[in-house]
Amino acid sequence: MAENYAPANAGWKFDNSYARLPDLFFTRLDPNPVNSPELALLNDRLAETLGLNAEALRSREGTAILAGNEIPEGASPLAQAYAGHQFGHFTMLGDGRALLLGEQITPGGERFDIQLKGSGRTPYSRGGDGRAALGPMLREYIISEAMHALGIPTTRSLAVVTTGEPVYRETELTGAVLTRVAASHLRVGTFQYAANWGSSQDVQALADYAMERHFPDTVKETDRYLAFLREVIKRQASLIARWQLVGFIHGVMNTDNMAIAGETIDYGPCAFMNSYDPATVFSSIDRQGRYAFGNQPYIASWNLARFAEALLPLLDEDQEKAIKKAEEEISAFGKYYREHWLSGMRAKLGIFQEESEDEELVKELLSLMHKHEADYTNTFLALTFGTTEGNALPDCSEFADWYARWQARLKRQQESSEKTMALMKSHNPAVIPRNHRVEEALEAAVEHEDYTVMEKLLKVLANPYEHSPEQAEYAEPPAPSKVPYRTYCGT
Ligand code: AMP
Ligand code: MG
């Protein structure tokens, strides 16, 4: 084991509850030290929330910890075991290039996983080198923090450290380690792993642990594992609805990339949609469009069915009854999803109360946006600020009809136009991390070690509902290109 080291008042305060699960769930292991760690980015505000001193983290000792060269006091590093359906195919996975240091207990008593991503090989690395490149780690930092600012549950990014060592992909790249912060790293795939390689006692131990940690109310229920399944389904329905409302495409919704706590996890080939099209796919490896924008709710429900399968032995002794119970819960996903999505869409359109034709109104708008290749984010912004001219809104009689119906809908409600606008402003972001802006910031940082572009982007993305003048230039969609934007897995 590496030497324990406690830099003066960094504030690390670890517990290791995951390490108290049966041995099957992890392998204890230290990070692989790196040559010459240097801090590239540090999230001061997140550090503060975690009870950590940003200055201490910036010091040489602090950076050594963020690089995996030193182990903070109380940490107990381990690689988590999990399985997963990747593009529909079931395999054994596990942390192949990440280690859980432990759970930081915040001054408010909250518990967050602290994970180093890119920390070296583990028994789950298969053919991989256990390392990560700077570009993808910075990309995860930018997008996860943007998602958080948009109000979407997500893992967070505390720091990115360069290692001083190259990583070899198609070309030689700069190596880096990301410190990821999560409610937990329990995945649908962790349950699949327990169900396939463990006993039903192991599944139960994992379920009890997840319930205690994330769904304490379910513990008191009579049919508690069924209640657990239901709550996981509800959280996912809410999460996916939020993705759809901002045009986020995860890109690789394998069951190992779905967190039980309901956070967005694993920012690989994800991206935000520009012009509205449910068939939008950015990921270079998603050739069939399995994880296209419009498929995300269906895939979530499919993944949750895999989760329910793993829980079957806990739902009922009689397997047929267990299956029936699970099916009933899974079939409710669509209803939960639709409720969240529709209530979010109402808010985006400034609608306070429900009317039965609202869904139709929303769907017609989306279909017009699709037909006219209108920018998703900017259409809602134009509606918010009442700008009918410009290129964001379709200029045709069909759209004018829709607009008149929407205006009539708004007139039927009691709320003032100021209140309506305030509702819309708080649900329609002024900025999203547009792909071309993210690329520009990454290029400056990775190619020229210039972080000013990224710092500015992060600042603008930190308050997406501010609608400040500085945000205007970041709202521009990319210039039309003949080559579609492609994202690559975060390797
Ligand atoms: P992901 O596509 O990031 O969800 O990763 C899928 C699986 O591949 C996980 O088990 C990762 O830990 C593993 N993995 C990804 N990249 C590497 C790498 N460079 N070295 C070892 N394992 C990796
Ligand atoms: Mg993953």
Side-chain angles (χ1 to χ4, degrees):
M1 297 287 273
E3 200 182 322
N4 276 6
Y5 190 88
N9 38 14
W12 291 113
K13 190 174 172 225
F14 282 107
D15 185 37
N16 303 284
S17 67
Y18 185 88
R20 296 193 281 273
L21 281 171
D23 287 350
L24 149 105
F25 287 105
F26 57 89
T27 302
R28 288 186 197 274
L29 182 74
D30 276 353
N32 227 321
V34 300
N35 248 339
S36 50
E38 266 186 62
L39 192 63
L41 269 185
L42 181 71
N43 194 333
D44 286 59
R45 285 180 61 193
L46 178 58
E48 195 182 321
T49 321
L50 293 170
L52 296 170
N53 180 319
E55 281 323 301
L57 294 178
R58 271 198 183 85
S59 71
R60 212 168 56 84
E61 295 84 349
T63 303
I65 287 176
L66 299 171
N69 282 12
E70 300 284 351
I71 315 287
E73 198 184 315
S76 181
L78 57 84
Q80 293 180 315
Y82 54 85
H85 274 92
Q86 298 198 305
F87 291 90
H89 303 285
F90 188 65
T91 31
M92 173 64 203
L93 295 159
D95 288 334
R97 56 162 171 173
L99 287 178
L100 177 69
L101 289 183
E103 301 130 31
Q104 169 75 359
I105 309 298
T106 71
E110 281 188 286
R111 175 184 298 267
F112 289 100
D113 273 12
I114 306 293
Q115 193 202 61
L116 300 181
K117 185 168 171 180
S119 53
R121 300 196 78 235
T122 78
Y124 314 111
S125 296
R126 297 172 291 165
D129 61 359
R131 292 297 185 192
L134 177 60
M137 295 306 102
L138 291 174
R139 195 166 187 278
E140 169 154 351
Y141 186 116
I142 298 170
I143 302 192
S144 64
E145 287 306 302
M147 291 286 273
H148 173 72
L150 285 164
I152 301 173
T154 176
T155 63
R156 306 279 310 270
S157 299
L158 178 64
V160 177
V161 172
T162 53
T163 59
E165 293 175 12
V167 294
Y168 299 96
R169 299 293 179 255
E170 269 149 30
T171 54
E172 184 182 305
L173 303 169
T174 307
V177 176
L178 170 81
T179 306
R180 180 154 78 178
V181 177
S184 83
H185 285 84
L186 302 176
R187 305 149 189 266
V188 166
T190 320
F191 281 84
Q192 293 182 290
Y193 168 72
N196 276 272
W197 283 280
S199 63
S200 57
Q201 283 86 347
D202 292 318
V203 179
Q204 186 167 0
L206 184 63
D208 287 341
Y209 175 71
M211 288 157 72
E212 188 76 45
R213 190 162 169 187
H214 300 302
F215 303 92
D217 290 345
T218 61
V219 177
K220 296 171 233 132
E221 300 267 335
T222 32
D223 211 345
R224 63 189 203 277
Y225 299 111
L226 195 68
F228 171 47
L229 172 61
R230 185 176 308 135
E231 292 310 312
V232 171
I233 292 171
K234 282 186 179 169
R235 262 192 221 181
Q236 285 298 330
S238 156
L239 178 68
I240 309 299
R242 287 165 194 255
W243 289 0
Q244 303 306 103
L245 290 166
V246 297
F248 174 77
I249 304 170
H250 184 285
V252 59
M253 285 177 72
N254 296 332
T255 55
D256 52 301
N257 294 337
M258 188 182 252
I260 298 301
E263 289 182 339
T264 312
I265 189 170
D266 237 316
Y267 291 88
C270 62
F272 280 72
M273 181 167 61
N274 292 304
S275 57
Y276 179 78
D277 183 352
T280 307
V281 175
F282 289 117
S283 169
S284 62
I285 55 170
D286 191 3
R287 296 205 181 83
Q288 314 286 321
R290 178 180 170 94
Y291 300 140
F293 178 72
N295 275 356
Q296 295 189 129
Y298 305 104
I299 291 293
S301 156
W302 189 88
N303 287 350
L304 289 164
R306 307 288 78 75
F307 176 57
E309 273 167 15
L311 289 184
L312 282 180
L314 309 183
L315 299 183
D316 207 292
E317 280 172 13
D318 177 334
Q319 204 193 4
E320 252 173 56
K321 280 192 192 148
I323 292 174
K324 200 159 175 291
K325 283 181 175 180
E327 279 173 352
E328 256 168 49
E329 297 302 329
I330 296 292
S331 69
F333 174 87
K335 178 173 73 88
Y336 302 138
Y337 167 76
R338 186 175 159 274
E339 281 166 8
H340 284 290
W341 178 80
L342 193 54
S343 92
M345 276 295 180
R346 281 197 183 94
K348 284 173 88 70
L349 289 176
I351 297 171
F352 286 86
Q353 285 86 27
E354 298 176 17
E355 277 187 19
S356 55
E357 301 89 67
D358 291 341
E359 187 165 1
E360 213 35 56
L361 191 71
V362 173
K363 288 194 168 158
E364 270 174 43
L365 172 63
L366 293 177
S367 113
L368 283 167
M369 282 163 66
H370 188 188
K371 185 168 160 192
H372 295 276
E373 298 177 23
D375 185 85
Y376 181 72
T377 307
N378 290 356
T379 298
F380 284 102
L381 274 181
L383 294 175
T384 304
F385 292 99
T387 43
T388 44
E389 72 279 0
N391 57 12
L393 295 178
D395 183 16
C396 62
S397 64
E398 262 179 309
F399 182 76
D401 287 348
W402 178 88
Y403 195 87
R405 278 179 55 207
W406 172 55
Q407 285 298 308
R409 172 71 182 87
L410 293 184
K411 287 218 177 68
R412 286 201 292 278
Q413 59 187 16
Q414 304 292 308
E415 286 76 9
S416 65
S417 54
E418 289 77 24
K419 264 190 92 178
T420 301
M421 191 172 178
L423 180 67
M424 293 180 75
K425 278 170 78 176
S426 63
H427 285 81
N428 294 315
V431 280
I432 48 160
R434 300 242 181 214
N435 307 321
H436 63 299
R437 288 297 194 171
V438 174
E439 292 300 326
E440 171 187 79
L442 291 178
E443 194 188 315
V446 176
E447 307 295 331
H448 310 291
E449 290 182 45
D450 170 9
Y451 282 81
T452 55
V453 186
M454 187 169 305
E455 298 285 358
K456 203 171 160 217
L457 177 65
L458 288 170
K459 191 161 173 276
V460 165
L461 292 173
N463 293 298
Y465 303 107
E466 189 177 52
H467 301 280
S468 66
E470 301 86 78
Q471 290 175 323
E473 62 171 304
Y474 288 86
E476 297 270 327
S481 159
K482 288 196 190 73
V483 190
Y485 181 74
R486 283 278 163 266
T487 54
Y488 297 89
C489 249
T491 47

